[in-house]
Amino acid sequence: MARILVAEDDRPLAQLLTANLEQDGHEVVVAEDGRYVLDTLMGETFDVLVLDLMMPWVDGFEVLVNLGSARPKVVVLTARDDGYSERRARALGVDAYLTKPYDTEELAATVKRLAAGDG
């Protein structure tokens, strides 16, 4: 279905996200920090980026600032449930903002919608 980059530094959560997304037929690549996200996006193409905001080295906001024009659709998946973080992320062009703990069905539906081109 879609090619997805999961940016998540919590390994057990990254594994769970990968399993859930692969079960839905997606190809998943995991990046554990923001530097690796940006490096990976420079050399590969993805339909959707599932992005944690709180990561080591380069956080999710910095990733959003540096995505450039050939960016995938972006789903923020974060523990930051404050209004400021959501407004800032949306101002930086995210397509969806979900908070942890998250509903697996909502994430699956959001990824499917975005991968199909329905922003």
Side-chain angles (χ1 to χ4, degrees):
M1 290 187 82
R3 192 151 195 266
I4 301 170
L5 178 58
V6 171
E8 176 59 63
D9 62 314
D10 180 321
R11 282 191 183 179
L13 181 54
Q15 291 171 339
L16 179 62
L17 285 164
T18 298
N20 289 337
L21 293 166
E22 286 178 344
Q23 183 177 343
D24 290 339
H26 303 294
E27 177 186 345
V28 179
V29 174
V30 175
E32 294 183 354
D33 68 60
R35 290 184 307 189
Y36 186 59
V37 171
L38 293 171
D39 288 346
T40 301
L41 288 170
M42 288 179 74
E44 300 181 50
T45 302
F46 294 89
D47 301 299
V48 178
L49 167 61
V50 177
L51 178 65
D52 184 15
L53 293 178
M54 296 182 290
M55 293 184 295
W57 305 107
V58 174
D59 71 12
F61 290 117
E62 191 68 23
V63 169
L64 290 169
V65 167
N66 289 290
L67 280 179
S69 60
R71 62 192 273 154
K73 298 289 186 173
V74 179
V75 178
V76 166
L77 184 61
T78 183
R80 296 181 75 152
D81 64 354
D82 60 284
Y84 172 77
S85 295
E86 183 172 358
R87 285 189 304 276
R88 183 173 176 204
R90 291 199 183 276
L92 291 170
V94 303
D95 300 284
Y97 192 97
L98 304 175
T99 56
K100 299 172 187 173
Y102 67 99
D103 179 287
T104 56
E105 291 179 13
E106 181 181 14
L107 177 61
T110 301
V111 167
K112 183 177 180 180
R113 176 178 53 83
L114 293 175
D118 299 331

